[in-house]
Amino acid sequence: MSIFLVARPKVRFSEPAKTSLSVVVPMRNEEGNVAAALARIPVLGRETEVVFVEGNSKDKTWEVLQKAVAEYQGPLKLKLARQPGKGKWDAVRHGFAQATGDVFVIQDGDLTAPPEDLPKFFEVLCAGTAEFANGSRLVYPMENQAMRFLNMLGNHFFANALSFVLSQRIKDSLCGTKMMARSDYERLLKRLPELGDFDPFGDFNLLFGSALMGLRIRDVPVRYKNRTYGETNISRFAHGWLLLKMTFFGMRKIRFR
């Protein structure tokens, strides 16, 4: 019998006060959430950089962002970009390419997963409890209009399916808030060709890539809120079918490879 033990340091960022954070905020048709995002994103670690990525909006999101960033005088370090392509994953990748922090996190521009929960993600990553902190909206009670019934069923299904694919228990695969070390993200990018890189949202790309690299994936509960502005950019049936195909793809590439 052969027994193999793989050991690694538990603590990645032993001094959070010296660790910088980059918050990438993809925004499409979210002009009414710009001011709230700037007011509510907390300052964490040595420096908190916020990269707003505007995604071909039909409203005045780009104009509002330009004005807000130009007039901002607070403690956050701000950057502004327009995504070159389409889809949330394209926006996130473009934002991460501009980011300079030691740790990367995604904060959805609709603010339904509150920015006030970001310190919990930062704490578990710095403490080494997780190497990939995955937001979970399905722990705390959520506001009445935050998630429709069919969306709720779909999220439970995909969470269970991906727990099987990843061989790590997760409760919510589609929450937008996800945090990881910059160095791990750079390694993950090199593994994406193995996964096909066809996820328009990025959630599966990040989870599959993290599993391939053997990262410790842990859920961080968030309180899911109603939208205060705009409408969702998700199509339940078209995008649900795409997510189902990606789940089976993950089974072949990760679970049964």
Side-chain angles (χ1 to χ4, degrees):
M1 180 182 294
S2 297
I3 299 175
F4 296 89
L5 175 67
V6 179
R8 58 189 169 193
K10 179 180 178 182
V11 178
R12 299 285 300 279
F13 303 102
S14 57
E15 297 184 79
K18 296 182 179 180
T19 303
S20 58
L21 174 68
S22 290
V23 185
V24 170
V25 188
M27 282 196 153
R28 183 173 184 269
N29 301 326
E30 302 288 0
E31 64 172 283
N33 289 320
V34 173
L38 279 173
R40 293 170 57 189
I41 293 175
V43 176
L44 298 169
R46 174 173 55 83
E47 177 183 73
T48 299
E49 171 187 69
V50 180
V51 184
F52 289 104
V53 185
E54 192 276 329
N56 307 303
S57 301
K58 296 180 180 178
D59 63 4
K60 296 182 179 179
T61 300
W62 177 244
E63 291 79 4
V64 172
L65 277 170
Q66 287 180 303
K67 185 174 185 295
V69 170
E71 295 176 352
Y72 182 76
Q73 297 183 0
L76 300 170
K77 177 184 176 182
L78 303 184
K79 289 184 178 180
L80 180 57
R82 301 190 87 169
Q83 71 176 97
K86 296 181 180 180
K88 179 185 172 182
W89 177 233
D90 178 80
V92 168
R93 285 187 67 165
H94 190 61
F96 282 168
Q98 319 298 316
T100 60
D102 301 315
V103 174
F104 289 172
V105 67
I106 306 167
Q107 169 63 56
D108 280 349
D110 60 13
L111 306 182
T112 52
E116 289 81 3
D117 283 327
L118 292 179
K120 294 190 296 184
F121 288 78
F122 193 65
E123 180 181 345
V124 299
L125 204 78
C126 288
T129 307
E131 292 170 307
F132 183 94
N134 178 62
S136 175
R137 303 161 295 175
L138 305 177
V139 176
Y140 299 132
M142 61 184 68
E143 293 186 352
N144 292 335
Q145 304 300 316
M147 187 181 296
R148 291 176 289 184
F149 180 69
L150 287 179
N151 294 57
M152 175 77 75
L153 292 180
N155 277 299
H156 280 293
F157 169 79
F158 285 114
N160 284 299
L162 260 68
S163 294
F164 175 75
V165 171
L166 304 175
S167 299
Q168 297 192 60
R169 178 64 184 162
I170 61 170
K171 196 170 182 64
D172 185 0
S173 61
L174 300 174
C175 178
T177 312
K178 290 177 168 59
M179 181 181 287
M180 67 191 309
R182 174 196 181 101
S183 57
D184 287 334
Y185 172 74
E186 291 172 346
R187 291 195 298 128
L188 183 147
L189 281 182
K190 298 176 182 178
R191 304 297 298 268
L192 279 184
E194 300 176 45
L195 300 173
D197 194 13
F198 56 80
D199 175 9
F201 309 109
D203 299 286
F204 282 35
N205 279 341
L206 292 172
L207 286 166
F208 288 171
S210 296
L212 278 175
M213 296 189 299
L215 299 185
R216 248 188 327 268
I217 301 172
R218 293 290 183 270
D219 283 339
V220 178
V222 299
R223 297 193 179 275
Y224 199 46
K225 305 291 186 179
N226 294 336
R227 258 186 175 270
T228 57
Y229 174 85
E231 298 179 354
T232 180
N233 295 308
I234 302 297
S235 170
R236 283 182 293 174
F237 298 107
H239 290 151
W241 173 243
L242 178 59
L243 292 172
L244 186 62
K245 291 193 292 184
M246 288 191 293
T247 300
F248 282 106
F249 183 83
M251 285 186 186
R252 291 190 292 108
K253 287 289 186 177
I254 299 174
R255 181 71 180 195
F256 301 126
R257 61 179 297 162

